[in-house]
């Protein structure tokens, strides 16, 4: 299982947030679970090996 110790804050429109939370709840998932899944898929789609990145090291995925 992934180490879930880092916090990631996202600002979005309140209507989108509510819709997202309702959709997640209807699928018996938390918004955090879905967000982690989306990020994992995005990294995989761009062939970023997030399992071997060092925690504090600078990499091409930093922005």
């Amino acid at each position: 299982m992934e180490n879930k110790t880092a916090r990631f804050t996202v600002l979005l429109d309140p209507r989108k947030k509510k819709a997202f939370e309702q959709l997640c709840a209807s699928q018996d998932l938390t918004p955090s679970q879905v967000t982690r899944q989306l990020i994992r898929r995005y990294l995989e789609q761009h062939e970023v090996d997030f399992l071997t990145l060092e925690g504090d090291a600078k990499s091409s995925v930093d922005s």
Side-chain angles (χ1 to χ4, degrees), residues 12-22 31:
L12 59 129
D13 180 275
R15 293 170 292 191
K16 288 178 188 169
K17 179 181 181 284
K18 184 175 182 176
F20 180 62
E21 289 171 337
Q22 289 175 344

Side-chain angles (χ1 to χ4, degrees), residues 25-61:
S26 75
Q27 297 175 337
D28 198 28
L29 296 167
T30 67
S32 290
Q33 288 172 313
V34 175
T35 302
R36 286 190 295 271
Q37 182 182 52
L38 291 169
I39 292 171
R40 264 194 313 276
R41 286 182 182 169
Y42 187 75
L43 290 170
E44 290 168 357
Q45 175 185 353
H46 293 279
E47 299 177 354
V48 175
D49 183 5
F50 57 90
L51 296 175
T52 59
L53 290 177
E54 304 241 353
D56 294 339
K58 291 287 183 193
S59 70
S60 63
V61 296

